[in-house]
Amino acid sequence: MKKDLLTINDLTVKEIQELFSLTDKLKKNKAKFGKTLFGKTLVLIFQKPSNRTRVSFEVGMFQLGGNSLYLAPNEINLGIRESIADVARTLSRYVDGIVIRTFEHKNCLELAKEATVPVINGLSDFSHPCQALADLYTVKEKLKVLKGLTLAYVGDGNNVCNSLLFICAKLGVNMNVGCPKGYEPDAAVLKDAKAAAEASGAGINLFNDAFSAVKAADVIYTDVWASMGQEDEAAKRKEAFRGFQVNKNLVESAKANVLIMHCLPAHRGEEITDDVLNSQNAVIFDEAENRMHVQKAVLIKLLGR
Ligand code: CP
Ligand code: NVA
């Protein structure tokens, strides 16, 4: 049976660990995997702009010996030119896997339901599972362990925050979310994460101030205050997130060697300052690079079956 990756909850703890060890192998010996997906094609249906997701999937697929095909927002016109179900049925006759970047998460669910090939969520308004996999892989690479660490997410309770909650809870990483009132993560996600955290021993905590969230953190993570699709709320959000900027003052109140992470693109001078982004503690471009390595592991697991 085909397997999809729409949220981190599609993966068991064991499957995440297997993805991470395959990623280690892919990073160490790129040449060995050069024909793993020979003859396979991945299609990318994107309704939002992208740098990392598009390029890392396309290059990753190429490095595995396969092909990729990018379909920009106005090509397929998902749900307008034809129904999502018919797009899924048609593409399943041509390709071996689909990556979708969309607004409403239900589009991912609908596509996955009708497609007979694996569907990977390359970001929806609800979740960004490939990002969270690369993030926790990066933390493990840098700090050698995961269980018992504390990740402080400072900013909007958005798609990236949701996926980090799911993965931290599963892998036993404590997660503190520091966000303004009204910008908390989805209540259902918090409930799910807390249930998973009980099994792993992690703690999930919500704060309405950034300083409490970063105290004792091993990692400080942030993301834009206005996500793609929320551009008209940018001014209002700038006001609401005052006090939630990751700057020198905030970082100095955390552990000396705290890792700084950001999924990118960053709005320098808004959610994070230049000096913090450019500092020794920042592992942001390693994190971006690891998107490709982790996704190659995902592609092998899902398309190589
Ligand atoms: N982090 C991330 O998904 O970047 P892009 O929007 O550039 O793909
Ligand atoms: N939260 C951001 C993440 C971008 C990778 C957005 O959805 O725009």
Side-chain angles (χ1 to χ4, degrees):
M1 209 176 85
K2 67 133 178 172
K3 185 170 170 66
D4 304 307
L5 174 56
L6 306 184
T7 80
I8 289 293
N9 281 345
D10 288 329
L11 299 170
T12 61
V13 174
K14 186 164 169 268
E15 284 170 331
I16 296 172
Q17 284 161 350
E18 283 169 3
L19 282 173
F20 286 179
S21 48
L22 179 55
T23 306
D24 285 338
K25 293 189 186 103
L26 285 156
K27 280 192 87 164
K28 272 193 204 114
N29 194 349
K30 184 171 139 190
K32 187 179 159 201
F33 296 90
K35 292 198 174 114
T36 312
L37 295 184
F38 179 77
K40 305 240 174 186
T41 301
L42 180 73
V43 72
L44 295 98
I45 308 174
F46 277 35
Q47 295 189 296
K48 292 174 176 173
S50 170
N51 172 3
R52 281 145 290 273
T53 307
R54 177 186 176 180
V55 178
S56 57
F57 266 114
E58 291 214 45
V59 174
M61 197 60 193
F62 177 75
Q63 289 184 2
L64 294 170
N67 298 302
S68 70
L69 192 61
Y70 171 77
L71 298 172
N74 59 356
E75 310 233 22
I76 282 227
N77 248 329
L78 204 65
I80 300 167
R81 187 166 179 268
E82 62 187 319
S83 72
I84 294 177
D86 285 350
V87 169
R89 291 175 190 129
T90 307
L91 288 177
S92 297
R93 302 292 179 105
Y94 301 136
V95 303
D96 304 281
I98 304 173
V99 179
I100 178 170
R101 168 166 284 205
T102 188
F103 292 89
E104 291 172 84
H105 188 70
K106 70 171 174 39
N107 295 344
C108 299
L109 298 171
E110 203 177 331
L111 192 80
K113 185 167 165 264
E114 292 303 326
T116 54
V117 296
V119 174
I120 300 169
N121 177 3
L123 182 145
S124 68
D125 289 348
F126 176 68
S127 67
H128 198 3
C130 299
Q131 183 67 53
L133 285 170
D135 294 340
L136 273 277
Y137 178 82
T138 306
V139 174
K140 188 165 181 241
E141 195 174 46
K142 302 287 170 192
L143 302 180
K144 310 297 172 214
V145 290
L146 285 176
K147 233 181 169 62
L149 294 180
T150 299
L151 183 147
Y153 177 93
V154 178
D156 188 23
N158 61 16
N159 44 9
V160 169
C161 179
N162 287 345
S163 292
L164 287 170
L165 278 164
F166 285 138
I167 200 165
C168 284
K170 272 185 186 261
L171 299 184
V173 175
N174 307 307
M175 183 158 160
N176 294 344
V177 179
C179 59
K181 279 204 170 69
Y183 293 93
E184 290 89 358
D186 196 277
V189 173
L190 277 173
K191 195 170 158 227
D192 257 27
K194 282 185 178 165
E198 253 175 52
S200 73
I204 303 291
N205 301 296
L206 202 56
F207 299 91
N208 286 127
D209 91 287
F211 285 90
S212 311
V214 305
K215 211 169 119 190
D218 300 285
V219 180
I220 298 178
Y221 196 114
T222 191
D223 182 17
V224 291
W225 292 335
S227 285
M228 290 180 275
Q230 298 173 331
E231 289 78 5
D232 54 349
E233 292 179 32
K236 185 181 125 202
R237 283 172 170 265
K238 230 178 193 170
E239 199 52 43
F241 284 89
R242 207 194 282 254
F244 290 86
Q245 185 185 61
V246 177
N247 55 30
K248 197 161 170 259
N249 198 18
L250 186 73
V251 173
E252 277 175 1
S253 77
K255 284 185 184 167
N257 52 357
V258 66
L259 296 183
I260 306 295
M261 300 183 78
H262 192 307
C263 57
L264 298 175
H267 292 171
R268 289 170 180 257
E270 289 187 22
E271 75 278 0
I272 189 162
T273 53
D274 262 334
D275 54 346
V276 172
L277 250 174
N278 301 336
S279 69
Q280 290 284 335
N281 296 25
V283 294
I284 288 162
F285 294 100
D286 294 327
E287 187 187 351
E289 180 189 327
N290 281 335
R291 286 290 304 276
M292 184 175 77
H293 303 300
V294 170
Q295 287 162 196
K296 282 170 74 178
V298 169
L299 289 169
I300 292 174
K301 290 278 182 193
L302 301 192
L303 274 63
R305 288 140 65 102

